[in-house]
Amino acid sequence: MSPAGGDQARRAAAAFEELRGVAPRGVWSAPGRVNLIGEHTDYNDGFVLPFALPHRTAVAASPRADGVLTVSTLGDDGAARHAEPIAVADLEPGRVSGWAAYPSGVAWVLRSQGVTAGADLVIAGDVPAGAGLSSSHALECAVALALLGLAGVPEDRPEIARWVQRAENDFVGAPTGLLDQTASLLCTEANVLFLDVRSGKAEQVPFDAAVQGLEVLVIDTRASHSHTDGGYGARRAGCERAAALLGGPALRDVDTAELDEALPRLPAELQPLVRHVVTENERVLRAVDALRAGRVADLGPLLVASHESLRDDYRVSCPELDVAVGSALAEGALGARMTGGGFGGSAIALVPVERHDAVVRRVLAAYAERGWATPRTFPAVPSAGAARDD
């Protein structure tokens, strides 16, 4: 096994052999991600700055000759859950629901690319589900690489990201952009991925917070979120409407210098959405400049401004996220913000290493005072992207 997939690749391979009686043809894995900054900019043709987490989803896979797709997944208790087998030829949106819709959607998209054979898939992973850390895209990217690998199709990772987006949008019904799947596929160890979504240009920007005595602390609020409940889609539709009213293909085309002139041309309900997207793109560019210059601490105020914009203008935060951010800042974090699509999920904080324990205690105490579930916290470092593990 390669070091990328680690324990999850070994778990998936062992479970496959136990369930199927033979070793899998191969194992592929893909990571979850943290988006350092650049939220809700991807579907507006803007800029994003994610990095891959060490947490991964692994898929052990072998081909089948009968055209049937079987999918099993290991729970935290090690017990396997099995989806109903289905012929790849019969896959259509609406035919599969729940967790099995994600791998099935990938198979459905790849069918249109000539990948029509069946497969046995066994999944194991430790990307926290519902935490805004892209567990669904880690699963979809690992499945895509597995099915393409079994079919012997050469990888074009930017194209695979678009296929995974189609699976998420059209099969699962979540109107997500290109950030998550591109991060899972393209991120590399020790770097953040500076992605211009419109052009597809990607730059690996070195990011080593530890060398400056800092860390990125992830705070999983345990407030579960969903991209299929309408809130995400409503904001995306609002952005598309605003871009059309302003006469451009996307909000990417509105410059910060033009913002004051552009906003009065829009209905009042669209103005905050546009203000967030335009200013968030500017924050990404400033964050990249800071990292190129080695000024990691300069990210702090940008993270705070991003959270305030997501909370007040885009309105995708929630009390759990706001308390996590406020508690971290009160205990010495240089910056903090919600990360991911919002409505729950996780926050991140840029924390001096010596303040780690104090920040965690402050966050846990704030949650306990409110009777909320205890959040999960862990430091995150830029890790390897998707790969074949065996």
Side-chain angles (χ1 to χ4, degrees):
M1 295 287 175
S2 79
D7 291 343
Q8 302 312 314
R10 286 186 285 273
R11 286 182 67 216
F16 189 101
E17 189 160 3
E18 181 178 346
L19 291 169
R20 298 294 172 187
V22 294
R25 181 72 59 86
V27 183
W28 291 259
S29 68
R33 65 92 191 95
V34 156
N35 192 24
L36 190 60
I37 199 165
E39 221 64 78
H40 293 278
T41 51
D42 58 339
Y43 53 79
N44 287 292
D45 278 0
F47 305 106
V48 294
L49 196 64
F51 65 85
L53 290 169
H55 304 75
R56 301 180 75 86
T57 296
V59 177
S62 285
R64 290 177 64 104
D66 59 2
V68 170
L69 181 72
T70 74
V71 186
S72 302
T73 184
L74 294 184
D76 293 338
D77 59 359
R81 290 186 295 158
H82 310 286
E84 188 71 24
I86 187 170
V88 173
D90 293 338
L91 287 169
E92 296 296 341
R95 287 290 305 272
V96 182
S97 60
W99 65 269
Y102 295 95
S104 298
V106 172
W108 170 73
V109 170
L110 294 184
R111 188 183 71 195
S112 67
Q113 305 301 318
V115 180
T116 59
D120 292 320
L121 307 178
V122 177
I123 301 159
D126 63 354
V127 184
L133 302 175
S134 200
S135 59
S136 65
H137 285 99
L139 169 58
E140 289 166 320
C141 289
V143 169
L145 293 186
L147 294 177
L148 292 167
L150 293 179
V153 176
E155 293 181 6
D156 178 343
R157 295 212 169 184
E159 186 67 20
I160 295 170
R162 287 187 284 271
W163 292 338
V164 170
Q165 183 189 27
R166 185 181 165 207
E168 185 97 354
N169 292 177
D170 298 341
F171 196 94
V172 177
T176 53
L178 269 170
L179 161 63
D180 295 345
Q181 55 278 80
T182 303
S184 190
L185 290 163
L186 297 188
C187 281
T188 60
E189 188 174 2
N191 296 295
V192 291
L193 179 71
F194 174 38
L195 177 67
D196 178 340
V197 175
R198 169 169 285 174
S199 70
K201 181 180 179 182
E203 176 189 349
Q204 304 291 345
V205 181
F207 180 50
D208 186 354
V211 76
Q212 298 188 29
L214 300 170
E215 68 178 16
V216 176
L217 178 69
V218 176
I219 305 166
D220 174 5
T221 67
R222 311 272 186 167
S224 186
H225 77 139
S226 172
H227 287 162
T228 59
D229 63 2
Y232 188 105
R235 283 156 181 78
R236 180 168 182 168
C239 289
E240 292 170 353
R241 180 181 167 214
L245 290 171
L246 293 172
L251 294 182
R252 156 70 174 275
D253 298 293
V254 182
D255 188 82
T256 51
E258 304 167 344
L259 189 58
D260 288 343
E261 184 273 331
L263 291 180
R265 296 161 53 194
L266 297 170
E269 70 272 13
L270 298 182
Q271 292 180 20
L273 301 182
V274 175
R275 184 165 50 240
H276 166 73
V277 172
V278 173
T279 59
E280 186 79 346
N281 275 324
E282 178 66 21
R283 284 187 285 271
V284 174
L285 297 178
R286 291 174 61 191
V288 171
D289 286 344
L291 291 181
R292 286 173 177 158
R295 302 191 309 270
V296 176
D298 286 2
L299 296 177
L302 298 173
L303 300 182
V304 174
S306 176
H307 183 76
E308 291 173 345
S309 181
L310 288 159
R311 180 193 65 204
D312 300 336
D313 280 342
Y314 223 71
R315 303 182 304 279
V316 292
S317 190
C318 66
E320 292 88 345
L321 288 166
D322 294 340
V323 167
V325 167
S327 299
L329 293 173
E331 202 59 51
L334 303 186
R337 74 175 193 93
M338 57 156 281
T339 188
F343 309 104
S346 295
I348 57 172
L350 184 65
V351 177
V353 172
E354 70 271 13
R355 301 298 300 163
H356 170 95
D357 290 348
V359 168
V360 170
R361 283 195 300 269
R362 182 73 168 255
V363 172
L364 296 185
Y367 273 57
E369 289 170 5
R370 291 162 174 81
W372 294 342
T374 302
R376 177 188 184 190
T377 65
F378 58 90
V381 295
S383 300
R388 179 166 182 167
D389 297 297
D390 180 34

